Amino acid sequence: MTVWSLHAPRSARLVDKIVIQGGVALEGTVVASGAKNAALPLLFACLLTDKPCRLRRVPDVADIRTTRNLLQTLGATIEEVGPHELIIDCSQVVEAEAPYELVRKMRASFLALGPLVARFGRGRVSKPGGCAIGTRPIDMHLAGFERLGAKINETHGYIEAVSKRLQGGHFIMEMPSVGATENVMLAAVLAEGRTRIENAAREPEVVDLAAALSKMGANIQGAGSSIIEIEGVDSLGGYDHEVIPDRIEAGTYLIGAAITRGQVRVEGARAHDLSMLLECLEAAGATVETQADSVTVGSTARARAVDIVTAPHPGFPTDLQAQWMALMTLADGRARVAERIFENRFMHVPELARMGAHIVSSGGEAVITGCEQLSGAPVMATDLRASVSLVLAGLAASGYTEVLRVYHLDRGYERIEEKLGALGARVARVPV
Ligand code: UD1
């Protein structure tokens, strides 16, 4: 299927944007890419060993390119051995410092600190700044490293963690942070003795990291539950590992089927990783069919309004909140969306309102009164998931929608215009 040829307004050609002519039902099959949020910690895990690691199903998205750059800056060599397949060799890594220029592009770069201090006894990583969806502190990452005996110094915008050899410890997390769970796991696997993480994040990406670390020789129990126990080892080998499919990307296309009243099968989608979303889609009136290696969602009627509250896994994922809100703007009835993970994750609200959505938001709560039709408009992407919610709204809206600042989208969605085009959408990327 070719990407839709562009007959958009002349203004569309002036800057890089995604242009959508709405009103076409998505129909067909799309293959889920590897999960960006799983691939990132898996790449940082390579810092733990001087043996090569082979990572398969690596998504080709900007955050992965940023991470590759960062690892190479530290001295790693990375070979592309096939489509979506990398061999990462960190045997020559000597530099234990992740510079601001790279960390500022992506908060997840902070995941370098755990492996660096664990393997080299010292790591220095630029402190991540604020981001569009809230202040997102790193206090739990640091508390975890301190529990393992590291000394933390903060100077000139950098965080340094130092320890001769980390010692296993007991770490109770205030709330189940995905990044802090992963960073502490990445450190504890080479610590001396036993580490216990309580109130750990249970996300599938944490489970995938534990699976790869186990292949490297780590001794980890309980990943996927709220208590993770790790018996440290002296050294780790490489891994050969395939990244799990991206549940957030898959969920986005499934919501795309519902919002356009089409039918989409996402190959690779794992129903158990998406259970809360699938329940909500069924409650909204969509049909959901799950197979061993795919999920299909179809809809022929207007969605019913369904309330959601974001929560740590297995609750409704915050990374699908904006997409759900897009669906609710066209629902029959009034839906309440409560964002409980991030303090400022409603930046899509004013943009959806520009397309005719009726949303009243205050603090972390939004009430959406569904309307019969959205109307296409130029809108601004503000973060990764907010921008894709605008794409979904544009697919269902009348006329043209132009989503500006698509670099947000490119951080986490691989070839989105091609994938949507293959499902019948009229969507094009307009280069500068
Ligand atoms: C990861 C995901 C992101 C997702 C989020 C929640 C990656 C690369 N990103 O982000 O897509 O939206 O999980 O599912 O995997 N917090 C603290 N102190 C800390 C760490 C976190 O207070 O030290 C707070 C955060 O501000 C937030 C909450 O904990 O309010 C959850 O954040 P966390 O799970 O850590 O998110 P990330 O790992 O950054």
Side-chain angles (χ1 to χ4, degrees):
M1 177 80 198
T2 51
V3 173
W4 167 64
S5 68
L6 185 69
H7 300 289
R10 208 170 146 265
S11 63
R13 286 147 218 243
L14 299 178
V15 281
D16 200 9
K17 61 181 94 170
I18 295 275
V19 182
I20 303 152
Q21 187 183 14
V24 181
L26 297 185
E27 299 283 348
T29 296
V30 64
V31 178
S33 296
K36 164 183 89 74
N37 286 353
L40 295 174
L42 291 169
L43 287 170
F44 287 111
C46 303
L47 288 168
L48 289 164
T49 176
D50 58 4
K51 301 290 184 300
C53 297
R54 182 186 282 256
L55 192 56
R56 303 167 194 268
R57 191 157 49 193
V58 183
D60 185 13
V61 295
D63 277 8
I64 296 294
R65 291 190 282 277
T66 302
T67 308
R68 288 175 58 171
N69 268 344
L70 177 49
L71 293 177
Q72 282 164 332
T73 304
L74 296 172
T77 55
I78 301 179
E79 200 188 337
E80 271 185 42
V81 285
H84 301 109
E85 196 172 324
L86 303 175
I87 293 183
I88 306 106
D89 182 341
C90 290
S91 58
Q92 303 304 313
V93 168
V94 279
E95 185 54 72
E97 180 163 314
Y100 176 66
E101 300 78 72
L102 292 167
V103 177
R104 78 180 167 83
K105 287 191 183 164
M106 189 190 70
R107 275 184 55 83
S109 308
F110 202 66
L111 292 175
L113 193 54
L116 287 177
V117 65
R119 178 165 155 208
F120 300 104
R122 173 183 171 269
R124 194 164 178 264
V125 176
S126 171
K127 199 174 172 186
C131 72
I133 60 177
T135 48
R136 290 177 96 174
I138 43 159
D139 55 322
M140 282 193 271
H141 298 240
L142 301 183
F145 298 146
E146 280 176 337
R147 282 273 158 212
L148 302 181
K151 293 268 171 296
I152 307 290
N153 304 306
E154 200 181 325
T155 43
H156 307 298
Y158 278 75
I159 304 271
E160 186 180 49
V162 184
S163 170
K164 253 200 194 128
R165 173 149 187 210
L166 295 171
Q167 302 293 314
H170 186 179
F171 178 41
I172 305 175
M173 293 175 64
E174 261 167 65
M175 64 174 113
S177 154
V178 177
T181 302
E182 292 168 345
N183 225 344
V184 173
M185 282 167 72
L186 286 163
V189 284
L190 284 180
E192 188 173 9
R194 199 169 186 79
T195 296
R196 181 178 165 94
I197 308 175
E198 282 187 41
N199 202 18
R202 299 163 60 191
E203 269 68 2
E205 294 76 19
V206 172
V207 178
D208 203 31
L209 175 62
L213 289 170
S214 300
K215 288 178 186 170
M216 297 169 82
N219 191 344
I220 305 178
Q221 258 100 47
S225 78
S226 53
I227 297 180
I228 298 178
E229 292 196 304
I230 300 164
E231 189 67 49
V233 295
D234 292 339
S235 65
L236 292 166
Y239 64 59
D240 183 336
H241 189 76
E242 185 172 78
V243 181
I244 54 169
D246 195 318
R247 66 194 167 101
I248 304 300
E249 185 204 29
T252 301
Y253 288 112
L254 296 174
I255 295 174
I259 199 170
T260 61
R261 302 186 203 176
Q263 176 153 315
V264 173
R265 176 173 167 267
V266 182
E267 208 175 292
R270 305 194 304 181
H272 56 278
D273 289 350
L274 284 161
S275 52
M276 185 57 82
L277 172 71
L278 299 181
E279 257 178 51
C280 291
L281 281 167
E282 277 184 327
T287 55
V288 175
E289 267 179 62
T290 63
Q291 295 86 23
D293 67 338
S294 71
V295 176
T296 307
V297 166
S299 172
T300 49
R302 194 173 169 194
R304 287 194 288 270
V306 176
D307 298 344
I308 60 149
V309 180
T310 64
H313 192 76
F316 195 98
T318 174
D319 285 352
L320 287 171
Q321 177 259 108
Q323 298 89 313
W324 188 259
M325 195 184 293
L327 177 63
M328 290 300 101
T329 64
L330 286 165
D332 187 6
R334 183 172 291 182
R336 183 175 147 262
V337 168
E339 172 57 53
R340 296 277 187 263
I341 305 292
F342 292 111
E343 69 207 27
N344 184 20
R345 210 173 197 184
F346 280 155
M347 312 243 291
H348 40 290
V349 167
E351 301 304 306
L352 288 170
R354 302 192 64 254
M355 300 176 71
H358 304 301
I359 307 171
V360 179
S361 70
S362 160
E365 308 251 331
V367 175
I368 306 110
T369 307
C371 61
E372 299 235 352
Q373 180 74 71
L374 294 172
S375 69
V379 286
M380 188 84 84
T382 47
D383 76 54
L384 174 54
R385 309 303 171 184
S387 45
V388 87
S389 78
L390 302 175
V391 171
L392 292 180
L395 291 170
S398 64
Y400 288 102
T401 295
E402 300 175 355
V403 182
L404 311 177
R405 296 195 185 162
V406 293
Y407 54 86
H408 287 294
L409 211 52
D410 293 336
R411 287 190 46 210
Y413 286 89
E414 183 172 333
R415 297 182 293 106
I416 187 166
E417 66 277 21
E418 274 176 51
K419 288 191 180 190
L420 286 172
L423 295 173
R426 294 180 180 163
V427 51
R429 176 182 296 261
V430 183
V432 193

